[in-house]
Each structure stands twice: as C-alpha cells, then as structure tokens.
Amino acid sequence: MSSVEISALRKRYGEAVALDEVSLTAQQGELVTLLGPSGCGKTTALRCIAGFIAPDGGDILADGVSILATPSSKRDFGVVFQNYALFPHLSVAENVGYGLLFRKCSKDERERRVAEVLDQVQLGGLEHRLPRELSGGQQQRVALARALVIQPRLLLLDEPLANLDARLRDDVRWLIRDVQQASRTTAFYVTHDQAEAMAISDKIAVMKNGRVAQFASPREIYQRPVERYVASFTGEANFLGVQVERELCPGRFRVRAGSAAFDVKGAGPFTPGTKAVLLARPESLAIAGVVAGQLQGRVTKSVFLGAVQHCEVVLPDGASVRLGVPPDRSLPPDGTVTIKLDVERAWLMPEVAA
Amino acid sequence: MTVSRVAGSTLIVLLYGFLLIPLVAVVAASLTAGDFMRLPPEGLSLRWFARFFQRGDLVEGLLLSLQIALVTTLVTGVVALMAALASQSLSRRLAVWFQIGMTLPLLIPELLTAIGLLFFLYKIGLGKTVLGLQIGHIVMAFPYCYVSIAAALRQIDPALDDASGSLGASGWQTFRRVTLPLAMPGLVMGAVFAFITSFDLYTVSLLLKPIGGNTLPLALFDFLTYEFSPTAAAAATMSVLLAFVGVAVIQKLVGLQRAF
Amino acid sequence: MQRLPRLALGLPAVLLLLVFLVLPYAEMITMSFRASQPGAMYGLGFTADHYRKVMTEGLYLDALARSLLNAAFITTACLIVSYPIAWHMSRARGRKALLLYACVASPLMIGVLIRNFGWMIVVNVDGPFNRALLAMGVIDKPMRLLFTQGLVALALVHVFTPFMVLPINNALRNINPAVLEASESLGVSRFATFWKVIFPLSFPGMQPGLILVFVLATAAYVTPALLGGQMVSLMPTLVVQTLIGTFDWPLGAALAVMMATAAMVVVILFSLATHRLMERVRA
C-alpha cells in the first residue's frame, strides 16, 4: 500500500532497447495498466519493478524511497504471473500460505489468513487440491490469493487473463478489480488487450518500442490520444487527413477535409496551413441521407451484427472509414451516402507524434 | 498384404526376442534345480543362490561392488546436482556445450578412459588402490546422473524461482522448498543410473582394480573362465534384478519414455 | 544478480572431469611417447618409436584394420536390427509403448558382461539353441559357437542395439504425420513414401546412433575377451594385453591413441559425408 514513482527507467538487451526513459507514477490505491503489443517493453518494466531484472538506468521509488538496491525477496510486492507459476507440488493452501512462511506469522495466524483470502477469491473448500486438479480460472485465483495474502505494498499482474477463455476473463477481471479496491493495494497491470485495460484501470500507460506514448486516464486516452498509434491501439479508429485553417479559440481549430470544414477540438498547437489527422471513432460518425451530411462517400461493405450493422465507406480521396448504422436502416442501392461528423467527439492530432 | 503383415509381425517378435533372450537365459539358468547350466531349467530352486553366497571370492566381489556403487551414487548425486544448478544460469548456447562437456565420459569409449586413468592414477600415487577405482567409477557414472538431473531441472518453470523470491524466500529457501522437491524424481533417477552403471562397470575396474580386490563383474569373469556353473547365473541374476528394480523405480517416478 | 555464486556450483564437476578425464588423456598421449623398459612400466626419455612400430608392423596394422571393419560391420548390422524395432516403437502409444520402451531399455541397465554371459548359456553346446536346431532336424550334431567371431558380432550387436533404437525412435516420433498423409494423398506408394520421406527424415536419429555405435564397437573390450576367447586379435584386446599382460605401457598407450585417432578419422569423414543430408532434413 504505497505510492510508486518510476523515473527515466532504461534497459537494453544488447542492441535492442527494451525500456527507453520510462516514467510513470501510481498514487496509493491506484491501478495502473501498461498497455502495448508484445515487445513494447511492458513486461520488462514490470519485471524491473518486481526486482527480477535490474534496469540499466533510472530509478524506482516506493513511498519516496529508492528500492533498486532491495532484492526482490525483500520488496514485499505480490506478483501474479502470466502462467500463474503455482508450485505444482504444493496444495492450494500451501501455495497461498507460502509467502507467510518467510514472515513473522504463527501457524494459526497463517491458517486464518489463508482461509480469509481464499474466501475472498471464492476458493473456499479447495484448500487441499493440487494446482493440476484446478481449472484455469481457479489456478488464476490461487495465484491472486498467493500474491494478496502477504498484504503486499504493491501488486504486480503480468497478463493475468491471457490464458483464460473469454467467458472466464470477465469474471476474473472483476474479481481482481474488486479485491484490489477492497484492499486499497496499489497495482501495476500488464496487458495487450485494450478492452481489458479500459475496464480495469485508473490510469493507462500506452507503450511503444520501449517508450511511454501516453500516460493518462482511460477516458483521456480514448478520447484525446496524443498520436495515431495510441488512438488505434485503444479502439476502432478512423483517421481523416485534414488541413488546419486556423485556431478559433484555445483548443479548437477549424480544419478542412476536401470541400467540408469542421470546427474540432485538439490539443495543439497547430500552425495554420499544416496537415493534421482527425480522429473520428465510429460512434462519432453517422450516415445522414443524401444531402444532410458533410462528407460524400460510397458504402463498399456492410455486415449485419444484430444490434448494429457495420459499414465501410470509401471517401472521394480514397480513404475509407468504418462506422455503425442502426440495424433497421436500409442503405441506398448504389451505396452513395453522406456522412455526418459529430465534431464534439472528434479529435485533432498532429501528423507525427511530438 | 496379410502375408507381408504376418511376416512383419514375426520379424518384430523375433527382434524383441533377440533383445530379451540373454536376460531371460541368465535368470532361467540361475533358477535350475539340476546340477548343470541347462535351459530350460530342470526343476526350480534357489540352491545356486545359496551356493553363490558360499563362494568367498564372489561375495567379496559383491560387497566391494556395492560399496563402490554406493559411494559413487552419493558423490555423483551431489556433484551432478550442483553442476546442473550451475548450468541453469548459463545461456542456451553455453548450456549445450556445458552438457556435452559433462557427458564426455559417456561419449568416449570406456577403454580409453580406463587407460588414461591407469597411467594418471599411477602417476599421482593412487594406482591399484580402492580410492583410484572409486574415482574411475565416479567419472564413468557422472554423465548419467548429470543428464537425468539436468533434464528434471529443465522441466521446472523458471517463473517459480521468481514467484518464490517475490514472496520473500531467500535463494536457499527457494532451493529447499521448490527446486529440490521438484527435481527429486530426476535426482532419484540419476542415482539409480549411477548405481547401476557403477555396479556393472567392467573395463575400468579391470584396469584400475586394487591389488587383491575384485568387483563382482571381475570376479564373475574370472569364475567363468574356469567354471561354467549355475552359480555364475545366480551372480548375474542379481545384476538383472537390480536393473529391474531400477527400471521400476524410474517408471514409477518419471515414466520410461521421458527417461530414455 | 546471483549469477556468480550459482555458476560456482559447477566447479566440483568441472574439476572432477578436468583432473580425472582431461589430464588422464594428456597423460595417455605423453605415455605413448615415453621409452619402453623391460621390467618396468616405462623407461626414461621420449621417443616416437612406438608409433613407427605400430605403423609398420603387420600385426598391429592388421588388428587396426580388422577392428575398424568389424566395427563398421557391427554398426551396419545394428542399424538393420534397430530400424524395424524403432519403427514399431514409434507407432505404439500408451501402455504398449511403455512395455516396448521397457524391452529396449532394460538391456541398457544390465552390464555388458551379464548380457554376454546370457549368450554363452544360449549357444552352449548343449544349450537351447543347439537342441532346438537338433530337434528340428536342421543339424545332426551340435554346433560349436562359443569362441567364434560370429558370436562376438552377435553379442556386440545385442549390446549396442538400444543405442541405435532410442535415437531413431525419437526421430521417427518427431516426423509430422501430416507429411506422410500428404505423400500418400499425392498417390505415392507406401514403399516409396518410406524411402523418399520417412527414411531421410529419420536420419537425424540415425547419424548419432551410427557414430556412437561405431566408436563404442571399435573400442569394445569385454565381449571379444569373453566370447572370442582371445583368439581373434582385435585392437582393444591387444591394447589390454600389452598394458596388463606384458606391462609395456608406452606401447599400449600408442596403440590406444592409434585406435582412437583412426576411429575419430572415420567419424569425421562420415560426418562430412552426411553433413549435407543432415542440413537438409533439419531445415
């Protein structure tokens, strides 16, 4: 239960840069997710925090004190591993109680705390099973209980849901969030799944090639990404190439896309006359009859999904956008439509990352 | 089609028979109630085992063999476990070379190792001593032990080390509570291999044997050169029994397919 | 972090093999250049005479050639015996596979001497083999098989067969069954599939088996000594006689080094010759 500050963390493996000046903070009780594709450095960062590997540079502070010199076994961090890493020769209760063996803790107290935490993760009654006799979801909950029972200062979770099937994933994710919040444990959570990250995090660090591309709340990351990479990694995204005309007021710009002009929000600064990228999530676009919209286009694909139909629309400049249409709405036979953009939900970004 | 299938099956049965015939012959011959080495045995009895234990030279050989095999097992077990643990911190490439180095005594003919040791032990003053013979057995049995233990350690998920450490265990505590219990089947298998290898070793023993001392295989060889009686079969049967106990232990612990 | 202390655990093993394996080999080579001296293990000074002697005297050259040919013959015979067993094993599953493994592996756990002795019992003059043949009327008086080259070869093949079966079995198990189905679906006969697909793909198992058996067969001592009755002079028996019979250590060492070198040359030539095939099937 502490705050963590990571500053300018660096790690190289030979030529490959795994971490490049990674800085993050987690306030006490927050769950911070490291999100990115494989090889982006998120697991390396987590292993540095856990103390399994030593960074080449930078610092990690817990409650303002550097922990780099503290070995993993003295950090008091609970780690949940991607493949669970349960001890195959120990029963569920022995696995969970393992960490208490090395702490001042009587046998009675150990048993009490193990029972308590097993209850918390809904595994009561399975104390004497061996890990191989459990389902994947149960194993995952044992791993979580084992990390929690030591009342860690920090909880580290490495792709904890990756080996579960989709149905179980939601349950275990809720459980993780619940126990994390109930115990007010600060946590770092590594995943490559944006939906998972959105659902569970207080803050998300989107990582790219060993760098943090953006570190912010899930809402901010989704609605106001700093670059294309972040936008496309955090959900379905359409990008329109636009030209900036002028700044209307701080944070609002008039841009031109072909013949249409929009007044959109963006972080700026943008120099008038330069090219920029307009992010339009599918929900900010709508098909608007023949004349009511601002963008001309032609529907090239549509799939009916029940609650919604997904369409792909090609614009005159050749770019294509994806959007949702109410399922009862019929499309014109020749496919010619106009598209309306909800400017309040669009977001202007620079062409290349700052 | 059926003809070729029958021929194929016959061939397979014959080949497996070929592998097992000498073992069956030894055991069957030792159980005879008759006075001669003859198959099938003329009645069943254990009298030749009793006779074996009355032969001083063979019993002395048995005792020396057991003693040397036991020490070999203990020493190779500890040294091989340590080496296998060390190999875990090597990179993949280096670990392969390390393994080749550790199994050298297995890859080069026993006769050559025996000759080298004959000269070397003589030079350092251990020629014709029990200790010298013991060293020879340890060198020859070491690779079997190492390979079994290293294979068992490779099966252990490296994340378990991290997990144990992150939960507060020191390196030694992790070894005692996680690594050792998980490596135990491999350790036992290595011990079985080491014991049996040492117990059966012939060429190394022939060249390094101490003055006046014989291991069981040496005594048996000498015995066979002047007497062809079921006593020899009884002596040999002990070796076969030992092997079957070994195979059973290994099967119970790790499964044969993974062992060989 | 704890890399260094952990590596140090390997020290005893490294020392064991350095001192009692590598140094003895160095000692063997040194010994082969020492002078002989009747009445002692070796004399003072160094000489290359033993090698000259070994390379020029017919007795030694014959023994060397015979040993290598013998080993080559045994290796080939081993392959012929082992391949069907390995094939059969590789197709078995479950309990049956386990039983077959036990059949192949059990002989490995039993000393060479014991196994040789088993053959002595079987082929003895009034042993079961002779009596079976007599009963079937194949022969009219028992054959004398003990102390013949044929028996030595048979026993050696028996000793080394497991070394060949196990790696071939592994290689066969590693062949993707879809490859065979693909071949058959293309209309290739089973026979042709075997020669064109299975046999080459199992080579990664055959090559180490062949090398190991050849090396071990070249230097096998017990079997020729027990079953050959010292009559056929092969290199290993010659070496041991020189060392513990006549106590001429330098000459014995030179013979051993010659034998090892010759076997190594054959192995290297074989590896070079099969290098391309190995590369292809590995890829």
Side-chain angles (χ1 to χ4, degrees), chain C residues 9 11 17 26 59 64 129 139 157 191 229 237 247 250 257 277 280:
Chain C
L9 290 173
L11 215 58
L17 295 184
L59 167 70
L64 186 62
F129 183 69
I139 51 173
V157 170
F191 187 73
T237 30
F247 290 104
V257 172
L277 179 56
R280 274 214 349 235

Side-chain angles (χ1 to χ4, degrees), chain A residues 12-58:
Chain A
R12 302 175 69 101
Y13 289 109
E15 286 296 291
V17 178
L19 294 178
D20 183 8
E21 304 284 327
V22 168
S23 298
L24 298 167
T25 52
Q27 300 305 321
Q28 124 112 69
E30 269 185 351
L31 191 152
V32 173
T33 295
L34 307 180
L35 173 66
S38 62
C40 72
K42 57 191 194 299
T43 295
T44 307
L46 195 80
R47 292 177 64 78
C48 282
I49 303 173
F52 301 147
I53 49 178
D56 299 333

Side-chain angles (χ1 to χ4, degrees), chain A residues 11 39 44 126 197 336 343 352:
Chain A
K11 180 78 189 173
T44 307
L126 297 180
T336 311
V343 290
V352 283

Side-chain angles (χ1 to χ4, degrees), chain A residues 1-7 23-30 32 49 59-65 67 77 153-156 185-188 203 215:
Chain A
M1 276 160 267
S2 47
S3 65
V4 175
E5 191 182 336
I6 296 166
S7 57
S23 298
L24 298 167
T25 52
Q27 300 305 321
Q28 124 112 69
E30 269 185 351
V32 173
I49 303 173
D59 205 351
I60 303 172
L61 308 176
D63 291 328
V65 181
I67 53 160
F77 293 173
R153 298 165 68 194
L154 182 64
L155 186 61
L156 303 171
T185 310
T186 314
F188 279 93
K203 275 187 191 158
F215 180 48

Side-chain angles (χ1 to χ4, degrees), chain B residues 88-106:
Chain B
Q88 285 190 303
S89 56
L90 295 173
S91 70
R92 243 193 151 75
R93 273 178 70 97
L94 276 177
V96 170
W97 285 107
F98 189 71
Q99 168 119 353
I100 292 175
M102 290 291 113
T103 49
L104 269 183
L106 197 78

Side-chain angles (χ1 to χ4, degrees), chain B residues 19 38-39 88-89 257, chain C residues 3 6 101 126 131 158:
Chain B
L19 282 176
R38 188 161 286 163
L39 284 180
Q88 285 190 303
S89 56
Q257 263 128 319
Chain C
R3 222 176 116 91
R6 188 132 206 207
Y101 262 97
D126 64 344
R131 277 190 290 151
H158 180 259

Side-chain angles (χ1 to χ4, degrees), chain B:
Chain B
M1 193 66 208
T2 38
V3 173
S4 72
R5 184 150 284 186
V6 169
S9 307
T10 316
L11 175 71
I12 288 293
V13 169
L14 281 177
L15 289 176
Y16 281 107
F18 166 71
L19 282 176
L20 296 178
I21 277 172
L23 315 185
V24 175
V26 165
V27 176
S30 73
L31 292 171
T32 185
D35 292 331
F36 303 102
M37 189 99 85
R38 188 161 286 163
L39 284 180
E42 298 157 322
L44 291 178
S45 88
L46 292 175
R47 57 184 279 220
W48 294 103
F49 287 86
R51 179 67 64 82
F52 167 85
F53 284 105
Q54 287 157 8
R55 291 280 313 220
D57 52 345
L58 293 179
V59 172
E60 266 174 44
L62 175 65
L63 290 179
L64 182 63
S65 279
L66 286 175
Q67 178 202 322
I68 288 188
L70 200 66
V71 175
T72 300
T73 306
L74 292 176
V75 175
T76 50
V78 173
V79 176
L81 176 62
M82 289 166 68
L85 285 170
S87 77
Q88 285 190 303
S89 56
L90 295 173
S91 70
R92 243 193 151 75
R93 273 178 70 97
L94 276 177
V96 170
W97 285 107
F98 189 71
Q99 168 119 353
I100 292 175
M102 290 291 113
T103 49
L104 269 183
L106 197 78
L107 303 175
I108 47 189
E110 184 188 346
L111 178 61
L112 294 177
T113 308
I115 294 170
L117 276 169
L118 171 71
F119 300 153
F120 181 74
L121 292 172
Y122 176 79
K123 190 179 170 190
I124 62 171
L126 289 176
K128 305 269 164 220
T129 62
V130 177
L131 179 59
L133 179 62
Q134 182 71 67
I135 290 171
H137 278 238
I138 289 172
V139 170
M140 289 306 297
F142 179 79
Y144 294 98
C145 209
Y146 176 81
V147 168
S148 315
I149 299 175
L153 289 185
R154 269 196 297 275
Q155 299 287 326
I156 301 177
D157 178 0
L160 293 185
D161 254 22
D162 287 342
S164 175
S166 73
L167 290 165
S170 67
W172 169 251
Q173 284 164 333
T174 298
F175 172 73
R176 207 174 63 77
R177 293 183 178 271
V178 179
T179 315
L180 192 59
L182 290 175
M184 201 38 104
L187 202 59
V188 173
M189 186 166 100
V192 168
F193 279 140
F195 193 93
I196 287 176
T197 305
S198 165
F199 194 80
D200 286 332
L201 220 47
Y202 182 82
T203 310
V204 161
S205 301
L206 176 70
L207 292 186
L208 303 184
K209 69 174 178 180
I211 295 157
N214 256 357
T215 63
L216 185 60
L218 293 177
L220 182 60
F221 191 108
D222 290 351
F223 183 87
L224 278 175
T225 52
Y226 54 84
E227 200 177 319
F228 194 64
S229 84
T231 312
T237 299
M238 313 236 183
S239 211
V240 177
L241 279 181
L242 183 70
F244 274 95
V245 171
V247 168
V249 168
I250 290 170
Q251 162 57 20
K252 183 108 184 99
L253 280 171
V254 278
L256 284 176
Q257 263 128 319
R258 268 171 58 190
F260 291 96

